[in-house]
């Protein structure tokens, strides 16, 4: 019986040694199996926090960017108006030589440089519209883009382009003097929240 107990004890120690050896060989695998769920949990929490932060920032920028969008669009349209007004006032004077080609432009027609400035300012307004689509209703945006395309072409003289700019000011709610009473961060809806 004592011999059996010793043999049994020896077998148990051999099995424990084999189990220890197996654990040492599979330590990396076991630690990875324990780390993967934790990594996935941390990654999921980080992704959800990033998504929440992005939503909050988008909502905040929507509330507070209306004034900056309005200011940028008004500034670009003001620059266009000044450029066109200069050529409209020169319509009765002698032809102006083009700076690039040296050829005289017809009275009241834009030089190549000023056409480039006109196109760049129109691009500024259009890019502002495309980056802040949430501020525009679809029909307002369509009308604005149509009016800006009219300004871009050579079919209209500077006087007609000036009338188009005044129409944009008159018809665009975002450029008008608060024709909508319920927009902006200080609107009645925002204050009641």
């Amino acid at each position: 019986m004592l011999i059996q107990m010793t043999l049994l004890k020896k077998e148990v120690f051999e099995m424990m040694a084999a189990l220890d050896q197996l654990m040492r060989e599979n330590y990396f695998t076991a630690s990875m199996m324990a780390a993967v769920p934790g990594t996935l949990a941390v990654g999921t929490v980080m992704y959800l926090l990033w998504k929440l932060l992005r939503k909050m920032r988008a909502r905040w920028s929507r509330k507070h960017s209306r004034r900056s969008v309005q200011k940028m669009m008004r500034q670009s349209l003001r620059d266009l108006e000044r450029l066109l007004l200069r050529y409209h006032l020169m319509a009765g004077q002698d032809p102006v030589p083009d700076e690039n080609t040296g050829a005289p432009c017809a009275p009241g027609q834009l030089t190549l440089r000023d056409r480039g400035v006109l196109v760049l300012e129109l691009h500024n307004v259009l890019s502002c519209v495309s980056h802040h689509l949430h501020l525009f209703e679809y029909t307002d945006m369509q009308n604005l883009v149509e009016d800006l395309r009219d300004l871009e072409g050579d079919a209209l003289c500077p006087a007609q382009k000036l009338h188009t700019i005044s129409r944009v000011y008159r018809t665009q709610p975002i450029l008008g003097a608060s024709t909508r009473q319920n927009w902006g961060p200080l609107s009645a809806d925002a204050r009641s929240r």
Side-chain angles (χ1 to χ4, degrees):
M1 182 100 118
L2 188 60
I3 296 176
Q4 273 184 331
M5 289 293 280
T6 310
L7 275 173
L8 189 61
K9 189 177 178 183
K10 182 182 173 193
E11 287 178 14
V12 168
F13 280 133
E14 286 176 358
M15 286 199 302
M16 283 176 59
L19 192 59
D20 284 342
Q21 178 66 26
L22 182 65
M23 287 298 285
R24 269 185 256 129
E25 289 174 0
N26 290 329
Y27 178 77
F28 180 75
T29 306
S31 64
M32 287 319 258
M33 285 176 48
V36 168
T39 305
L40 286 176
V42 168
T44 302
V45 168
M46 296 284 288
Y47 175 74
L48 292 174
L49 284 174
W50 176 74
K51 208 169 180 184
L52 179 69
L53 180 66
R54 193 169 159 202
K55 264 188 182 180
M56 287 173 51
R57 191 167 58 184
R59 183 174 178 181
W60 184 82
S61 69
R62 255 186 246 136
K63 278 185 177 179
H64 298 288
S65 69
R66 190 176 301 268
R67 286 185 185 155
S68 62
V69 170
Q70 185 179 26
K71 184 178 179 182
M72 197 289 295
M73 289 177 66
R74 282 182 165 275
Q75 182 63 40
S76 290
L77 288 173
R78 179 182 174 274
D79 292 344
L80 283 173
E81 195 171 14
R82 289 175 57 95
L83 175 74
L84 293 170
L85 192 58
R86 187 174 68 214
Y87 280 92
H88 177 64
L89 294 176
M90 291 176 22
Q93 299 176 0
D94 294 332
V96 178
D98 193 337
E99 296 166 359
N100 295 332
T101 61
C105 291
Q109 292 296 320
L110 299 174
T111 62
L112 286 177
R113 179 181 174 276
D114 288 334
R115 282 186 205 162
V117 170
L118 179 107
V119 168
L120 286 175
E121 290 296 337
L122 289 172
H123 174 72
N124 284 342
V125 175
L126 285 172
S127 66
C128 185
V129 169
S130 67
H131 284 94
H132 298 87
L133 292 174
H134 59 274
L135 299 177
F136 296 93
E137 292 180 15
Y138 182 73
T139 55
D140 292 340
M141 184 183 59
Q142 260 186 327
N143 292 338
L144 177 66
V145 169
E146 183 179 316
D147 287 339
L148 294 178
R149 295 292 178 214
D150 287 345
L151 290 173
E152 195 174 31
D154 287 335
L156 302 177
C157 70
Q160 292 169 324
K161 289 181 181 186
L162 284 170
H163 287 294
T164 303
I165 289 177
S166 67
R167 182 178 61 228
V168 168
Y169 276 120
R170 239 184 12 255
T171 59
Q172 285 302 313
I174 190 131
L175 294 172
S178 78
T179 55
R180 293 183 193 169
Q181 296 298 323
N182 60 350
W183 60 284
L186 299 177
S187 68
D189 293 338
R191 282 180 282 194
S192 65
R193 288 183 197 158

